[in-house]
Amino acid sequence: MSRRILNVVINGERHELLIEPHWTLLQVLRGQIGMMGTKENCLEAECGVCTVLLEGKAVNSCILLAGQVEGRAITTIEGLGDPEHLHPLQAAFIEHGAVQCGYCIPGMILSAKSFLDENPGRQPTRQEIREALAGTLCRCTGYGKIVDAVAAAAQRMAGKEPTP
Amino acid sequence: MKGFAWTSAPDLAAALRAGSATVAATMAAAPGPAAANAVILKAGGIDLLDLMKEGLLAPQRIVNLRGIPELGRIAEEPGGALRIGAMVTLAQLAGDPLIRARYGALAQAAGGSASPQIRHVATLGGNLLQRPRCWYFRSIHHDCARKGGRQCFAFMGENQYHAIFGQYGCAIVHPSTAATALVAFDASVELVGARGARRTVALENFLLGPEVDLQRENALAPGEILTAVLLPAPKPGVRSFHLRQGELDSFDWPIADVAVVLELGRDGACRRAGVVLGAAAPVPYRARGAESALAGQRIAEGTARSAAIAALAGATPLAKNAYKVPVFEALVRRAILGAAGQA
């Protein structure tokens, strides 16, 4: 089949990529750009480890054709912070010991960011946080500390501008 | 996934031109020549990618509808009816202030569907037109009746999530939760044909049971595009409620869901009721027994309980899904009380 050009903004940077129409966004991020923070597992939108932000909203990159993001903005975990400048969610996950094996954590943090940015300036309930994270599975922690971390980050982020 | 050609339709006319070349998307146990030739018009693509990854569809060309602005709008019509473009996402439906205020059961149904990530991409049109989630239908190893085979494997097999009503040769349940609420609101769908002709069909008539067509779930004609869902203007005193019960607290397909729309008079009596069961039958199941049990009655625990029993009258559960009957009875009772503000 014929390759085509994809224009996409990833973590604020413009990319012009040559893709096959049947590649998913996940395949482009990991295989073509080499950003390994976005994880790969079930490939059918059940586990959430491949979650990225599309125009700020959490989506499963495993079930999104790359062609669907033409001209749009993607944020991956690499675009959130770095070890010197952690995003409040990243800092809270570390402080609350919310990470065990770590495989779900990029998806978990981006799911939480999407939710908190959609509900700015107010403290969500624990039940709301659980529902917001329902599309992202963790097989280590039992979720308790993850919910603690998101609640703490929400408090820190409340009233502040959404971070990139 | 096999390769395919990709095009984006900039407007409806271009989509209709592309769609007129559509070969009926034939499902086959192993993708055959018919499936391989198909042109598919893609909305959010959630179900399409599932079907392609499962090896059930191998389209030659995919036409993306996302760039057509008119399909992505929610607009109030003169007279108060609401027009929801087919490309509006489930997340938009769940969060829209007008839908939450006037068609609460629809916002609840959309907001409880799938996961947050899927709701951000999945569209209302795609949700209504998605193929069934029956595990025999989704398995390339089962040449089931809906795919042109000789038998429905669910009848003698693992049927715990299958239909308890209307299993005429196939025991699927309709996969759309939004449809449960939409039928309760007497919604219609707008369809545009290859030559631009528009027709409007009540959603209840658009969705087809296996007794009408064993291999298709709707009356979409070849080359036709579902462009919008139309909700009638809300009458005074209308209140609604949707409830779902999953097996898990986390996201999953409902084992049962119920939408109730009540038109309450000033005296508190119910003038008209819509009671619809999802995940109960191959199409959203309108519980006429419950609707007539509620008509003229004041809503209270007792009336809700009688209506719930009437709703399940005539159910024909299979070997492993009789548990759904009491689950539905509880949901119908609670949804009636919820709609009446007595939950």
Side-chain angles (χ1 to χ4, degrees):
Chain A
M1 289 285 172
S2 52
R3 292 213 166 190
R4 51 188 301 280
I5 302 284
L6 173 73
N7 287 289
V8 60
V9 177
I10 300 169
N11 300 331
E13 205 174 301
R14 281 176 191 284
H15 290 260
E16 190 181 276
L17 304 165
L18 201 56
I19 62 159
E20 292 281 353
H22 65 278
W23 286 354
T24 60
L25 177 60
L26 176 64
Q27 285 173 295
V28 168
L29 289 173
R30 289 181 61 92
Q32 201 172 16
I33 303 178
M35 286 185 175
M36 298 301 184
T38 308
K39 301 303 180 197
E40 174 175 340
N41 178 43
C42 79
L43 299 179
E44 51 188 14
E46 285 184 5
C47 75
V49 302
C50 69
T51 299
V52 299
L53 303 182
L54 170 59
E55 309 286 1
K57 293 183 165 45
V59 299
N60 299 113
S61 63
C62 74
I63 201 157
L64 204 63
L65 290 171
Q68 280 173 267
V69 304
E70 172 68 40
R72 300 165 88 186
I74 302 293
T75 307
T76 69
I77 194 68
E78 288 90 346
L80 223 57
D82 58 56
E84 282 75 44
H85 310 89
L86 292 175
H87 184 276
L89 274 163
Q90 292 169 316
F93 269 62
I94 294 169
E95 282 163 27
H96 287 264
V99 180
Q100 285 190 31
C101 92
Y103 202 73
C104 73
I105 297 302
M108 208 56 95
I109 286 181
L110 291 169
S111 297
K113 177 165 164 52
S114 172
F115 168 65
L116 294 180
D117 288 349
E118 280 177 57
N119 298 276
R122 83 180 170 85
Q123 187 62 24
T125 65
R126 290 182 73 83
Q127 182 60 29
E128 286 174 321
I129 294 172
R130 283 184 169 271
E131 282 169 15
L133 301 179
T136 312
L137 304 183
C138 170
R139 301 290 81 164
C140 302
T141 64
Y143 302 102
K145 291 182 175 181
I146 290 175
V147 175
D148 292 344
V150 175
Q155 220 153 21
R156 206 170 302 173
M157 289 162 69
K160 292 182 187 168
E161 285 295 295
T163 36
Chain B
M1 266 192 314
K2 300 227 167 96
F4 51 82
W6 168 273
T7 44
S8 268
D11 52 37
L12 191 58
L16 287 166
R17 275 197 302 280
S20 67
T22 303
V23 176
T26 309
M27 310 292 290
N37 285 335
V39 176
I40 301 279
L41 305 185
K42 183 196 72 64
I46 298 283
D47 185 35
L48 176 60
L49 260 74
D50 264 354
L51 291 166
M52 291 168 67
K53 289 184 177 195
E54 285 155 351
L56 290 166
L57 263 187
Q60 209 168 66
R61 175 175 294 274
I62 290 179
V63 181
N64 189 20
L65 303 180
R66 215 199 72 85
I68 306 174
E70 65 180 281
L71 298 184
R73 295 195 191 112
I74 300 175
E76 195 178 345
E77 308 257 86
L82 197 67
R83 181 194 166 82
I84 306 174
M87 294 293 290
V88 169
T89 64
L90 297 182
Q92 282 175 276
L93 280 183
D96 186 81
L98 201 62
I99 294 177
R100 289 165 70 110
R102 294 185 188 172
Y103 307 97
L106 176 60
Q108 287 173 306
S113 294
S115 67
Q117 290 97 319
I118 291 174
R119 293 196 295 271
H120 283 141
V121 177
T123 66
L124 180 58
N127 181 269
L128 292 174
L129 297 177
Q130 69 185 305
R131 301 305 313 268
R133 297 285 165 176
C134 166
W135 42 38
Y136 297 111
F137 175 79
R138 295 273 164 171
S139 156
I140 58 165
H141 305 297
H142 291 83
D143 189 14
C144 79
R146 189 158 289 273
K147 290 179 289 195
R150 289 192 177 173
Q151 61 172 316
C152 170
F153 293 90
F155 280 99
M156 300 299 282
E158 296 299 318
N159 51 36
Q160 48 269 55
Y161 303 122
H162 288 78
I164 57 166
F165 288 103
Q167 315 99 327
Y168 300 99
C170 168
I172 60 159
V173 295
H174 198 274
S176 167
T177 305
T180 312
L182 289 171
V183 169
F185 282 114
D186 300 319
S188 304
V189 289
E190 181 190 78
L191 309 165
V192 181
R195 291 178 187 165
R198 278 173 204 256
R199 62 179 179 128
T200 303
V201 183
L203 178 61
E204 201 171 354
N205 299 329
F206 176 68
L207 300 177
L208 305 178
E211 72 280 16
V212 182
D213 194 325
L214 194 51
Q215 293 184 35
R216 297 191 316 151
E217 296 83 57
N218 57 67
L220 196 70
E224 218 170 24
I225 297 178
L226 192 162
T227 48
V229 170
L230 307 166
L231 282 160
K235 297 205 174 97
V238 165
R239 315 177 62 151
S240 68
F241 212 76
H242 178 269
L243 274 177
R244 71 189 292 283
Q245 182 64 51
E247 198 166 19
L248 308 172
D249 229 7
S250 184
F251 94 94
D252 198 1
W253 300 95
I255 53 178
D257 76 278
V258 172
V260 170
V261 178
L262 300 178
E263 191 186 326
L264 299 178
R266 287 212 181 141
D267 57 354
C270 174
R271 286 190 186 140
R272 190 160 171 263
V275 180
V276 179
L277 278 50
V283 293
Y285 177 78
R286 186 181 282 280
R288 295 191 190 280
E291 292 180 350
S292 43
L294 291 171
Q297 302 291 316
R298 281 174 186 280
I299 304 302
E301 173 78 26
T303 40
R305 195 173 287 274
S306 320
I309 291 166
L312 276 298
T316 53
L318 304 166
K320 297 186 179 180
N321 69 5
Y323 75 93
K324 280 193 175 193
V325 173
V327 173
F328 270 114
E329 281 178 353
L331 289 189
V332 172
R333 177 171 49 81
R334 288 183 204 159
I336 291 168
L337 294 173
Q342 298 175 24

